[in-house]
Amino acid sequence: MISIPGPIAVDATDASLSSGEGFTWNGEAYTHEGIPADDANGVAAFGGGSPFYFSTNGALYSVGQAVDGYTPGPATLVCYLEGTLIATPEGERAVETLAIGDVILTADGRAVPVKWMGRQRIRNGIFASPKMEPVCISAGALGQGLPHSDLYVTAAHGMIWHGMVVNAGAMVNGTTIRFVPMTQMPPVFTWFHIETEGHEEILAQGAPSETFVDYVGRSAFDNYQEYLDLYGAERIIPEMKHPRISAQRMLPNDLRAQIGLPAYGAELEAEAATWRW
């Protein structure tokens, strides 16, 4: 039994912490339950007074909350859910089938090669958090029949809409564009992001959408080391020349009306009416 006197990180590579062995932390006993072979993060689960986990970065943490400033899983991702159909010169392909060197189509009809595919696997139940809820953009929600079928993206992912890059979370109206509770997601699912040479407008389920831009770091993805092995270092991708709408309050009222959101002023008045003086 290894004694850890307080909230001190333990090294997941420590050979003394093998499956079936235990340790104490803050006076509670925990048992190492092993590292799932299919977990890209090398996360080991421990059973005890409450479920704890630690990862190969040496952080000890519990489900859905930070311990010593470390929050399980990536804080922000901008990605497409597996199964998302991406336009290519040969027709639509599921995002998970794309690989480096494959060619995809931009919204203006150009063929551009894939430079890298970021991948993040989520083990629902371990990392479940409301901040990680996908956004479902229902078929036709953006007008003109787009997307052609339900599109699932992360909240920080940008859709190209009326000449702006609008984060999906800023478009949520609770009906045609909604957050999907983690309880409705599979036990394991994967996000993918497509990096091209520039910040491009591509078609996902037929709807204009962005490729990777270093709005968040590549290190959030499971296969970050692959990127470093390929290219040696991070590179900067300038954002396309469209304004980015990252919060719902930034949406113009005419666009809010198109997706069934109240005018910004009316929303404030409704909120003020609930205040107690």
Side-chain angles (χ1 to χ4, degrees):
M1 182 71 73
I2 300 169
S3 179
I4 301 173
I8 300 172
V10 293
D11 185 354
T13 63
D14 188 339
S16 62
L17 287 175
S18 58
S19 183
E21 294 187 347
F23 65 95
T24 61
W25 185 74
N26 278 352
E28 289 194 85
Y30 295 89
T31 302
H32 192 323
E33 297 177 351
I35 299 177
D38 64 346
D39 196 313
N41 288 318
V43 173
F46 293 84
S50 58
F52 270 76
Y53 308 87
F54 74 173
S55 71
T56 50
N57 67 8
L60 182 66
Y61 57 90
S62 62
V63 177
Q65 67 182 50
V67 174
D68 278 358
Y70 181 81
T71 303
T76 304
L77 281 180
V78 283
C79 318
Y80 303 102
L81 186 64
E82 57 190 305
T84 300
L85 298 177
I86 304 297
T88 79
E90 291 75 38
E92 291 184 317
R93 285 179 55 182
V95 65
E96 65 270 23
T97 70
L98 295 173
I100 295 170
D102 287 346
V103 175
I104 59 176
L105 280 179
T106 62
D108 60 5
R110 289 176 293 114
V112 296
V114 172
K115 192 173 180 71
W116 185 60
M117 293 293 300
R119 183 181 65 251
Q120 177 64 51
R121 194 175 197 196
I122 302 298
R123 296 179 65 84
N124 197 358
I126 291 179
F127 296 134
S129 163
K131 291 182 179 180
M132 301 180 74
E133 291 178 352
V135 174
C136 174
I137 304 174
S138 301
L142 301 181
Q144 299 182 325
L146 298 176
H148 61 58
S149 49
D150 292 356
L151 172 63
Y152 293 82
V153 295
T154 48
H157 186 87
M159 302 301 298
I160 316 302
W161 195 50
H162 293 278
M164 300 179 295
V165 182
V166 185
N167 287 10
M171 307 170 82
V172 169
N173 57 22
T175 54
T176 60
I177 306 174
R178 62 186 177 86
F179 285 110
V180 181
M182 294 296 284
T183 54
Q184 296 180 17
M185 297 298 293
V188 179
F189 58 95
T190 306
W191 293 110
F192 292 86
H193 214 344
I194 304 167
E195 180 169 336
T196 54
E197 185 63 31
H199 188 208
E200 298 285 2
E201 181 178 342
I202 61 173
L203 301 175
Q205 310 285 80
S209 181
E210 68 177 340
T211 57
F212 178 84
V213 62
D214 43 319
Y215 188 53
V216 294
R218 296 175 183 86
S219 61
F221 294 94
D222 291 343
N223 58 330
Y224 175 56
Q225 187 59 49
E226 175 192 56
Y227 185 91
L228 294 180
D229 292 344
L230 285 167
Y231 302 113
E234 295 261 4
R235 69 187 182 98
I236 295 173
I237 303 176
E239 285 207 66
M240 63 179 69
K241 297 186 183 301
H242 293 315
R244 182 178 289 272
I245 303 296
S246 57
Q248 198 167 90
R249 61 180 174 76
M250 299 168 66
L251 269 177
N253 280 338
D254 61 328
L255 299 186
R256 293 171 69 94
Q258 286 190 37
I259 53 176
L261 289 170
Y264 184 51
E267 192 174 64
L268 290 178
E269 288 177 6
E271 181 181 346
T274 67
W275 295 346
R276 296 285 186 268
W277 299 92

